[in-house]
Amino acid sequence: MAYGLRNEEIADKLFISESTVKTHVHRILQKCNAQDRTQAVVFAIRNGIVK
């Protein structure tokens, strides 16, 4: 997500299904209390999860 990849691209890179990516993204949004992917990425950067 932090690299701006679409679900399909993430699935291809991780060798998992797109529905699995959607599930993981949904759970990340919930845990970060984020409305969208952008907010989740900002949360991750601010908290040192990604650089």
Side-chain angles (χ1 to χ4, degrees):
M1 284 181 5
Y3 294 109
L5 299 177
R6 293 176 290 126
N7 289 345
E8 180 181 0
E9 295 169 316
I10 295 169
D12 288 343
K13 286 190 177 281
L14 298 177
F15 304 103
I16 59 176
S17 72
E18 191 172 349
S19 64
T20 300
V21 174
K22 288 179 183 181
T23 298
H24 288 310
V25 170
H26 178 74
R27 290 182 180 157
I28 289 168
L29 294 177
Q30 286 180 322
K31 289 181 180 190
C32 296
N33 197 26
Q35 296 291 323
D36 55 34
R37 295 163 77 106
T38 302
Q39 286 183 352
V41 171
V42 169
F43 175 88
I45 291 169
R46 287 184 178 165
N47 290 282
I49 298 169
V50 296
K51 295 180 182 182

